[in-house]
Amino acid sequence: MCDLDVSLGGRRTATYELLEAKLGTPVVRPGSVSRVPLVNRLRASRTSSVVTVSAPAGYGKTTLLAQWSDRDERPFAWVSLDEGDNDALAFTRYVAASLAGVRHVDGAVFDALRTRRSLSTHGIARLASALRSSPYPVVLVLDDVQVLRSRECVKAVAALAQHVPDGSTLVLSGRTLPRLPFARLRAMGRLFALDRRDLELGGRDTERLLNAIGVSPSPAELAALSEWTEGWAAGTYLAALALKARPAGDRGEAFRDDPFVEDYFELEHLSRLEPEDVRFLTRSSVLDRLSAPSCDAVLERDDSARRLDSLARANVFLVPLDQQRSAYR
């Protein structure tokens, strides 16, 4: 915990209590797979003022962005968001503090973030202007943006997205993204987007990850693990630990029933869903192909189209099988 004291004209105007750990770029864990091709794509995206990275938990979003920060000459201002930041006043104060860590931010900006009234009248505008007036290019990372659901928070993110200066980048990373005009940004050439498919580990990446923790898989083990995890980084890592705990000649497919994989999936995915959504997914999982008509027929209901669309937007492990998103698995 740290206190941020802000002075304006020689007068203390505000003292904010902030969690200092939320304002630093995360340290890349030793043994992490280097995502050089993706980092190079991000480094080449400087003409895009907004970058989005959207994928379910465990796909290495934060690790990728931290690796990018190590390879980019621009300073990174970083905010690691949590549920407590779904409050516009708390959120904007953290953003202002993160920017102040890499460049000068006028005290008037912090003064405008003292109260909810000043925030709504001119605070968000001044914060956006502070980003706009940066004397040199910066990268502002908002990590775990799925927690930002309030109208005022989304309004603040939209204002930041509209005021990114040339050469700077606003990064929105999370399981889901705020409702912003991404189609318009894409049409203007201002958006660079990565999703689950981009972050999936390839066969060579999977092998490097296993080697990094001391597992030398046989071709059959590597193929089985790659097929089972489908490039899911967290699942691959936990499954590799399960293999490492078994003798080389007795590993088989031990990862399929590993309790740590189950616990992670329960905590990071199922526990965040409504009970009715979990029941829907569990009962429909007997189908190889999930479509609204097939789910309605098997589950004897009439709202499967709406529920499938909602779950797909939530970025759970529901994979679309066509561009129209008429079927999933």
Side-chain angles (χ1 to χ4, degrees):
M1 190 79 72
C2 67
D3 290 333
L4 179 65
D5 294 329
V6 182
S7 299
L8 186 61
R11 173 177 58 88
R12 175 186 283 187
T13 61
T15 299
Y16 303 143
E17 191 175 72
L18 303 174
L19 290 171
E20 192 170 6
K22 293 172 56 172
L23 296 174
T25 302
V27 177
V28 177
R29 177 175 55 81
S32 297
V33 174
S34 180
R35 309 304 302 273
V36 174
L38 282 178
V39 169
N40 287 340
R41 289 174 63 187
L42 288 167
R43 293 177 65 198
S45 69
R46 293 186 63 157
T47 57
S48 301
S49 57
V50 177
V51 167
T52 62
V53 184
S54 177
Y59 271 87
K61 301 181 292 295
T62 300
T63 298
L64 170 64
L65 296 177
Q67 291 180 359
W68 177 21
S69 72
D70 289 339
R71 297 282 304 279
D72 200 300
E73 69 276 12
R74 295 173 295 178
F76 274 56
W78 192 297
V79 184
S80 297
L81 300 164
D82 58 37
E83 288 291 342
D85 298 314
N86 189 35
D87 173 274
L89 203 56
F91 168 61
T92 52
R93 287 175 177 177
Y94 270 110
V95 172
S98 70
L99 288 173
V102 299
R103 50 147 302 190
H104 172 72
V105 174
D106 193 276
V109 175
F110 293 95
D111 196 43
L113 304 179
R114 284 189 304 168
T115 66
R116 298 190 185 282
R117 182 177 179 181
S118 61
L119 172 70
S120 61
T121 56
H122 55 278
I124 291 177
R126 285 191 175 174
L127 180 62
S129 178
L131 176 61
R132 181 78 176 181
S133 61
S134 177
Y136 47 79
V138 299
V139 179
L140 171 59
V141 177
L142 305 180
D143 198 13
D144 280 331
V145 291
Q146 74 275 355
V147 305
L148 302 179
R149 299 179 299 273
S150 76
R151 186 174 181 177
E152 281 296 302
C153 283
V154 175
K155 178 182 177 182
V157 175
L160 291 170
Q162 292 172 3
H163 289 81
V164 181
D166 291 343
S168 292
T169 304
L170 171 66
V171 182
L172 307 177
S173 176
R175 303 178 188 191
T176 59
L177 301 172
R179 291 295 185 93
L180 297 179
F182 291 119
R184 189 195 323 161
L185 289 171
R186 184 184 293 276
M188 295 169 61
R190 296 181 55 203
L191 177 69
F192 179 79
L194 295 175
D195 61 21
R196 174 188 57 80
R197 293 164 295 184
D198 298 298
L199 270 65
E200 289 175 351
L201 298 178
R204 181 61 185 140
D205 291 328
T206 299
E207 186 175 16
R208 285 204 302 267
L209 190 153
L210 267 65
N211 292 160
I213 63 173
V215 177
S216 298
S218 68
E221 289 172 337
L222 182 60
L225 182 58
S226 297
E227 180 182 9
W228 185 67
T229 60
E230 297 188 19
W232 177 35
T236 301
Y237 180 77
L238 292 173
L241 292 178
L243 290 178
K244 184 178 181 181
R246 302 282 289 273
D250 186 37
R251 290 198 293 230
E253 296 185 2
F255 53 82
R256 290 188 180 275
D257 298 315
D258 183 64
F260 290 105
V261 177
E262 294 178 6
D263 289 347
Y264 184 94
F265 194 81
E266 167 67 29
L267 178 64
E268 296 294 336
H269 295 280
L270 297 185
S271 67
R272 299 171 185 268
L273 296 175
E274 295 296 328
E276 178 57 28
D277 287 331
V278 175
R279 284 193 293 271
F280 177 87
L281 289 170
T282 302
R283 296 180 62 201
S284 63
S285 65
V286 299
L287 298 169
D288 292 329
R289 181 184 178 93
L290 281 67
S291 66
S294 63
C295 289
D296 280 345
V298 170
L299 306 183
E300 298 180 336
R301 58 194 304 153
D302 59 8
D303 66 341
S304 296
R306 178 183 61 79
R307 194 164 294 277
L308 286 169
D309 181 67
S310 174
L311 288 167
R313 292 181 185 278
N315 223 351
V316 297
F317 281 71
L318 194 65
V319 180
L321 298 178
D322 54 42
Q323 291 289 339
Q324 292 73 33
R325 293 178 176 259
S326 62
Y328 304 84
R329 63 174 176 81

